[in-house]
Amino acid sequence: MKFGDKVRCVREKFSLTTEQLAKLLNVTQSYISHVENNRRQLGRDKIVVLAKELNIPVEFFLRDDVETLEEIEINDKLKTMLTDGKYLNYFVVVDKAVEANISPEELEQAIEFIKRYKKTQG
């Protein structure tokens, strides 16, 4: 996805008009149109403002290997989970379930059984 496509995608995701985005970035509506059509580029300062105002990681606009905003959100969530010790223990158990050829449905049934058991022990 090219830079201008990312700007258009974000603008549409937040239901902004080109006029509203232009006002937010203190540029003209025509300039936004040129950016979205990949004929112009936003300066770093404008990219930072856009990212900050819409609470989007700056890397979304700068990295070529990122296609969608959802990819960044998923990667951030996964990084958080992997650095949280309590999740690592669960990943080990899930890995063991995969090695034992336990299907996701069977694992879900086991979880439901454990939940019911814990309630009776309450």
Side-chain angles (χ1 to χ4, degrees):
M1 184 181 296
K2 292 183 180 180
F3 179 81
D5 301 322
K6 290 180 181 184
V7 172
R8 176 179 281 120
C9 174
V10 166
R11 179 179 62 76
E12 290 173 351
K13 180 178 177 98
F14 288 90
S15 301
L16 296 171
T17 64
T18 54
E19 184 178 353
Q20 290 168 320
L21 184 57
K23 191 175 253 186
L24 176 73
L25 298 176
N26 198 26
V27 296
T28 65
Q29 187 176 0
S30 171
Y31 190 84
I32 294 298
S33 176
H34 285 291
V35 169
E36 288 185 356
N37 290 305
N38 295 299
R39 292 190 298 260
R40 302 284 307 261
Q41 185 85 4
L42 289 176
R44 287 186 209 157
D45 58 328
K46 301 296 184 190
I47 294 170
V48 170
V49 169
L50 179 59
K52 184 178 177 184
E53 289 294 321
L54 300 179
N55 197 28
I56 296 171
V58 172
E59 69 178 317
F60 171 69
F61 296 104
L62 302 179
R63 287 181 44 194
D64 290 334
D65 62 332
V66 175
E67 288 295 317
T68 66
L69 191 53
E70 287 75 21
E71 284 179 332
I72 288 181
E73 292 169 352
I74 290 169
N75 288 339
D76 286 346
K77 187 173 183 177
L78 186 57
K79 283 178 194 172
T80 300
M81 289 170 63
L82 290 174
T83 57
D84 186 339
K86 69 179 182 183
Y87 280 105
L88 288 178
N89 294 332
Y90 289 104
F91 287 130
V92 170
V93 172
V94 169
D95 189 48
K96 288 180 181 180
V98 170
E99 286 176 11
N101 290 320
I102 296 172
S103 71
E105 293 78 18
E106 292 169 323
L107 190 55
E108 187 66 38
Q109 289 171 356
I111 291 168
E112 290 304 316
F113 174 80
I114 293 167
K115 285 180 183 178
R116 288 192 302 274
Y117 177 78
K118 284 178 76 174
K119 284 182 182 177
T120 64
Q121 300 301 307

